Amino acid sequence: MSINSKTQELKKRMQVVLQGGGEKAVEKQKSIGKLTARERILELLDQDSFHEYDLFVQHSGKDFDMDKKILPGDGVVTGTGTINGYPVCIYAQDFTVAGGSLGFMHAKKICKIMDHALALKTPIIGINDSGGARIQEGVNALAGYGDIFFRNTMASGVIPQISVILGPCAGGAVYSPALTDFVFVVDKISNMFITGPDVIKTVLGEEISKEDLGGARVHAEIAGNAHFFAESEQECFEQIKDLFTYIPWNNTKKAEPFPSKSPKIREYKISSVFPTDPAKPYDVRSVIKSIVDNSDFLEIQELFAPNIVIGFARMNGDTCGFVANQPNALAGVLDCNSSDKAARFIRFCDAFNIPIITLVDLPGYLPGIDQEHAGVIRHGAKILYAYSEATVPKITVILRKAYGGGYIAMCSSHLKADFVFAWPTAEIAVMGPEGAANIIFRKEITSSDNPEQTRKEKIEEYKQKFANPYVAASYGYVDAVIQPNDTRSYINHALEITKNKVQVNPYKKHGLPPF
Ligand code: HXC
């Protein structure tokens, strides 16, 4: 065979595989607004950077006439490329080939690219679009999922792991995304559930649509399994590219620095976004935007547990993780969901060398039967654990209320914040003045000729004594009481000073966080 005919043969073989599941299957995929696996990879990665491997892998199924079937690439596309010029490993399940179902060789391809990612210390991106374990391959398909979950766990905290749900992700398959760091979903395209509507109807007699059970909005708003919600696949890819500008490529690196930029102060000025009335809610994102470079803030899990805001921004060109109570939602209380949301983010920042900036304004943990029975004790403990364990620079600014357990939990000096600053508007106390006065001055109030007047006076007395930053500052729990408009310069200086921070926690095999 001449070289020419050999290259022709390669071309032909490649053409067959690159057609995926064939014209009809591709048409069906497009008709519901979905791109094909290769189109998705090409849209996401830098132009001409994608290199595909294991194109000619064949499935190994024999039962149910599978030995007579050809499944191009065994339903998954794997390879390497770059995003913003930096290397990534990637796989995308191809729904046009046997519904992207996961058989033995399909899983082997995924595991191989995951092994590459871990060995080469590059992020791994998995695009999920699959009917789940390939039913005809039985236990070999289940084994494949087990092998992926093991690798997800080993890679956790070493390389960033991104899951993109662009189709069904059913059954045990959902546990790979759940083990990764960031899950992206697209409205009307993503579906995730352990058991689908049919099983639920059979077992429980309950009827629900796929969308209402496990659509993108459900995961972004209610279940909290998704971190980013997009209206289209294209928007989703832009979100991923944006995220990659903020995170490092592995746990031995820092995120790439950018040129420092001042906040767009014309639009955001701390004194204008912060209300003078201490009882009034406000949007803490405006405060964040008034502090950070160019007022750019990439919010994560925006729709879930909105009483806490988390996300990335840059200070003086370097990535920081922001955790902030949101007075606009439930007064910014900590509850089960907001504690889970913040704790996982804090651990991501700590694992990937990203300093954490905490903005505090909360009345405490949310009281109530629902929360107590939902386990607010163990959920709330996660945030204490995550902050205490984190060894990256930790800088806290108390804006207004810091009451009770909330004061401690939001990266107080007791959990080893490197610097705690407080605005003159800060109120640091065991509880709010109204509640406190009612308890400690109960006798005086009830025995008074004018209980209402006495209550008012006692509340004022308590406020004067404790609801300010100066008592905490007198014990050194607050390092500096600062003017709000100096916040950026204090944080930038603290980041500069903590740049070479090295903190080693006591040796242990691993801790036991309240999972
Ligand atoms: C084998 C599968 C498959 C699967 C889909 N296909 N899922 N083949 N194993 N799990 C095939 C279909 O037979 C069909 O093949 C092609 O993919 C397209 O599927 P359709 O059903 O025509 O597509 P659609 O109508 O869009 O429905 C998609 C779907 C549905 C909702 C995902 O296919 C479905 O319900 N599949 C099963 C989902 C499921 O229960 N998975 C859990 C498996 S158990 P042809 O040849 O006709 O084109 C599991 C446990 C893992 O995952 C545990 C790990 C711990």
Side-chain angles (χ1 to χ4, degrees):
M1 213 188 236
S2 68
I3 290 190
N4 198 26
S5 54
K6 283 190 177 186
T7 56
Q8 284 306 320
E9 187 200 352
L10 172 62
K11 224 179 192 177
K12 249 195 234 155
R13 281 177 181 260
M14 283 180 74
Q15 262 168 2
V16 172
V17 181
L18 293 176
Q19 280 169 1
E23 230 170 82
K24 247 186 163 172
V26 171
E27 238 170 61
K28 187 177 164 195
Q29 177 90 344
K30 302 258 177 175
S31 70
I32 44 175
K34 289 162 67 176
L35 296 173
T36 65
R38 285 187 185 81
E39 284 171 346
R40 285 166 171 169
I41 292 177
L42 295 181
E43 283 252 351
L44 176 59
L45 300 188
D46 295 340
Q47 207 177 353
D48 300 329
S49 74
F50 180 54
H51 287 70
E52 185 173 344
Y53 313 120
D54 289 336
L55 206 66
F56 301 120
V57 160
Q58 305 267 353
H59 75 88
S60 59
K62 293 192 173 54
D63 301 322
F64 302 105
D65 284 340
M66 285 300 283
D67 48 351
K68 299 185 186 78
K69 283 192 179 166
I70 292 172
L71 303 181
D74 203 9
V76 63
V77 179
T78 63
T80 53
T82 61
I83 292 183
N84 309 329
Y86 289 90
V88 294
C89 290
I90 190 163
Y91 68 85
Q93 293 180 307
D94 184 349
F95 194 84
T96 68
V97 177
S101 58
L102 182 138
F104 180 70
M105 294 306 292
H106 176 122
K108 270 201 139 197
K109 278 180 75 170
I110 294 177
C111 288
K112 191 171 157 189
I113 201 70
M114 290 177 81
D115 288 342
H116 266 314
L118 194 52
L120 306 174
K121 293 265 181 358
T122 67
I124 178 85
I125 301 170
I127 301 180
N128 295 253
D129 187 3
S130 164
R134 188 170 298 148
I135 295 159
Q136 300 91 325
E137 292 199 27
V139 71
N140 265 338
L142 297 182
Y145 275 121
D147 292 341
I148 293 170
F149 302 159
F150 177 79
R151 282 165 176 78
N152 284 137
T153 308
M154 291 302 109
S156 181
V158 183
I159 52 173
Q161 301 187 80
I162 311 290
S163 296
V164 195
I165 315 298
L166 295 181
C169 181
V174 296
Y175 285 111
S176 175
L179 288 166
T180 63
D181 304 319
F182 297 107
V183 177
F184 290 74
V185 290
V186 175
D187 201 20
K188 311 278 186 327
I189 285 182
S190 313
N191 274 139
M192 285 170 94
F193 30 72
I194 292 184
T195 51
D198 292 349
V199 176
I200 289 182
K201 191 172 176 195
T202 312
V203 177
L204 301 164
E206 293 169 358
E207 286 198 38
I208 189 161
S209 69
K210 271 199 292 190
E211 199 57 28
D212 289 343
L213 179 65
R217 221 163 246 292
V218 169
H219 290 294
E221 274 181 26
I222 303 169
N225 295 315
H227 300 82
F228 292 93
F229 173 88
E231 300 285 348
S232 67
E233 295 200 10
Q234 281 76 13
E235 187 191 349
C236 170
F237 300 141
E238 290 310 312
Q239 289 174 339
I240 298 169
K241 289 180 208 178
D242 199 14
L243 173 67
F244 269 104
T245 67
Y246 286 100
I247 58 176
W249 300 90
N250 61 56
N251 65 346
T252 66
K253 299 235 176 320
K254 288 197 168 189
E256 278 300 302
F258 275 62
S260 179
K261 279 185 180 169
S262 298
K264 298 174 194 158
I265 44 170
R266 271 202 201 135
E267 283 165 58
Y268 304 107
K269 205 160 188 219
I270 290 173
S271 46
S272 64
V273 294
F274 192 71
T276 42
D277 176 353
K280 237 181 155 182
Y282 61 94
D283 189 343
V284 78
R285 291 173 296 194
S286 307
V287 178
I288 296 173
K289 288 177 182 178
S290 70
I291 295 170
V292 303
D293 285 11
N294 205 37
S295 301
D296 289 332
F297 177 55
L298 177 67
E299 189 170 353
I300 299 165
Q301 287 188 301
E302 188 180 344
L303 304 171
F304 176 68
N307 39 325
I308 206 151
V309 170
I310 57 170
F312 295 120
R314 292 185 192 88
M315 295 294 293
N316 231 351
D318 292 322
T319 296
C320 294
F322 275 79
V323 180
N325 307 116
Q326 173 58 288
N328 255 354
L330 289 174
V333 288
L334 281 175
D335 57 5
C336 295
N337 286 343
S338 62
S339 300
D340 282 7
K341 173 177 163 180
R344 193 162 168 79
F345 179 67
I346 293 161
R347 286 178 72 100
F348 179 88
C349 292
D350 189 43
F352 290 99
N353 314 309
I354 298 172
I356 301 162
I357 295 164
T358 304
L359 304 184
V360 186
D361 187 348
L362 83 166
Y365 280 95
L366 180 63
I369 299 166
D370 285 353
Q371 282 293 307
E372 297 289 349
H373 288 186
V376 72
I377 294 174
R378 71 191 157 83
H379 287 286
K382 293 177 195 178
I383 194 164
L384 294 164
Y385 194 104
Y387 270 132
S388 300
E389 192 190 37
T391 58
V392 289
K394 299 185 283 193
I395 296 150
T396 301
V397 186
I398 302 173
L399 310 182
R400 198 167 59 171
K401 295 180 205 127
Y403 293 151
Y407 156 68
I408 302 168
M410 291 303 291
C411 205
S412 59
S413 58
H414 321 290
L415 305 188
K416 297 287 174 279
D418 295 291
F419 288 100
V420 177
F421 305 124
W423 287 2
T425 43
E427 299 174 11
I428 305 166
V430 173
M431 59 167 68
E434 286 79 6
N438 280 340
I439 294 170
I440 59 176
F441 301 118
R442 186 181 297 143
K443 275 190 200 136
E444 287 93 325
I445 293 170
T446 48
S447 62
S448 156
D449 293 340
N450 186 344
E452 255 335 288
Q453 183 57 31
T454 312
R455 180 179 286 115
K456 268 190 195 153
E457 285 164 15
K458 291 296 178 190
I459 289 172
E460 202 44 47
E461 187 183 329
Y462 184 88
K463 264 190 198 166
Q464 290 301 324
K465 204 158 181 70
F466 291 118
N468 61 62
Y470 301 106
V471 179
S474 75
Y475 289 105
Y477 301 145
V478 165
D479 295 292
V481 182
I482 62 172
Q483 294 293 353
N485 283 339
D486 292 337
T487 307
R488 177 173 161 87
S489 75
Y490 268 87
I491 294 176
N492 271 341
H493 182 71
L495 288 167
E496 192 61 36
I497 293 295
T498 52
K499 224 170 195 160
N500 298 320
K501 178 183 178 188
V502 178
Q503 182 191 320
V504 181
N505 290 340
Y507 169 76
K508 51 183 111 169
K509 187 177 173 191
H510 57 69
L512 296 163
F515 280 159

